[in-house]
Structures are given as C-alpha cells and as structure tokens.
Amino acid sequence: MSPLETLIGPSLQDANHVNHPTSSILKNAKAIALYFSSSSCPPCRQFSHQILAPYLPNKDSEFEVVLVPFDWSAKDSQAYMKEVGMELAIPYHSELKQTLMEKYHVRGIPTVVVLDSQGTTLSQNARMEMMNDISGSVARYVGK
C-alpha cells in the first residue's frame, strides 16, 4: 500500500457511493486537495461553487479534489457531491475522516489540505491560498 493509500484509504467513493481503488483513481494526480466540507455549511457551498467549480469534475486530472464529508447523512453527502460535481470522497462512514481532521488540525469547515501524490503535505491552509489565487495555487501544487 502506498503512503497516500495509507493516509486516505485504499478506496474512494464516487457520487453514487461506488468504491474505486485509490491507486487507480488518483494515478495521474500530482496534487490531491482534501476538502473538509458539508452541504449544510453556507461558506462550504460558496467555496464549492465559486472556487472549486473549475476543477470539477476532476477525473484523471493532475489536481484532484477529494471530499472529506461532514454532512448529517450519507444521502446528504451524495446529493452535495452530485450538485457540485465532485467525483471523489472519503467513504462517508470511514473512521479516516476523524483521523484526517486530527492529523491536519481541522478546527472548522470549509478546510482544504493539499497533498502530493505520496501524501506529503503541500499546504494546510490551501483554502485561503485558493481564494486569493486559484489558478496560481493549483499550478504551484502540480509543479507547473
């Protein structure tokens, strides 16, 4: 198992709650944004629509967004993913959500943490960086 798989799990779910192997679904990614978010959070919804929208859907991209869902239910999470166009998420019932929150000291949502393809942290404050300069931030994350 790769360091990234150890960190975010061996599989990710799509908006239909179908599991996909992390190693294959993120094979082209140079940067992975862990997006701690919830559909019931107005700032999260605004960030999703205004800032992340150009990078969604993101399948087979060098920059992938992975939702770390904090909705009230798996159904709410699924609807949010479909509404915004997110294709990948940590499984709703996974204990990894809490582990990731603790590891990255997430104190509120929305929060974005960007990792490289090996799971090394590129930015723990990516939300602010992306709000200030989304295209420049993404270019830096993928090394362009």
Side-chain angles (χ1 to χ4, degrees), residues 11-14 17 19 37-38 67-78 81 89-98:
S11 65
L12 297 172
Q13 285 186 342
D14 64 22
H17 289 195
N19 289 327
S37 184
S38 169
L67 177 66
V68 183
F70 285 91
D71 284 292
W72 295 108
S73 69
K75 184 178 177 181
D76 289 344
S77 175
Q78 182 180 23
M81 288 179 72
I90 302 292
Y92 181 81
H93 295 289
S94 173
E95 294 176 9
L96 283 172
K97 296 187 314 181
Q98 187 63 36

Side-chain angles (χ1 to χ4, degrees), residues 70-118:
F70 285 91
D71 284 292
W72 295 108
S73 69
K75 184 178 177 181
D76 289 344
S77 175
Q78 182 180 23
Y80 182 43
M81 288 179 72
K82 288 180 177 182
E83 173 193 332
V84 178
M86 282 184 259
E87 292 188 341
L88 302 172
I90 302 292
Y92 181 81
H93 295 289
S94 173
E95 294 176 9
L96 283 172
K97 296 187 314 181
Q98 187 63 36
T99 302
L100 292 168
M101 274 189 78
E102 291 170 7
K103 177 176 178 62
Y104 296 111
H105 309 286
V106 175
R107 301 287 180 248
I109 55 174
T111 294
V112 181
V113 175
V114 178
L115 311 173
D116 70 10
S117 61
Q118 296 302 305

Side-chain angles (χ1 to χ4, degrees), residues 2-58:
S2 74
L4 183 63
E5 289 173 294
T6 300
L7 185 65
I8 66 173
S11 65
L12 297 172
Q13 285 186 342
D14 64 22
N16 294 313
H17 289 195
V18 174
N19 289 327
H20 301 275
T22 300
S23 59
S24 63
I25 200 91
L26 296 179
K27 68 181 180 285
N28 296 325
K30 292 183 179 178
I32 299 95
L34 298 180
Y35 181 35
F36 298 82
S37 184
S38 169
S39 63
S40 63
C41 162
C44 297
R45 295 179 71 81
Q46 182 179 12
F47 183 80
S48 298
H49 288 287
Q50 293 179 349
I51 307 298
L52 288 181
Y55 298 94
L56 302 169
N58 52 7

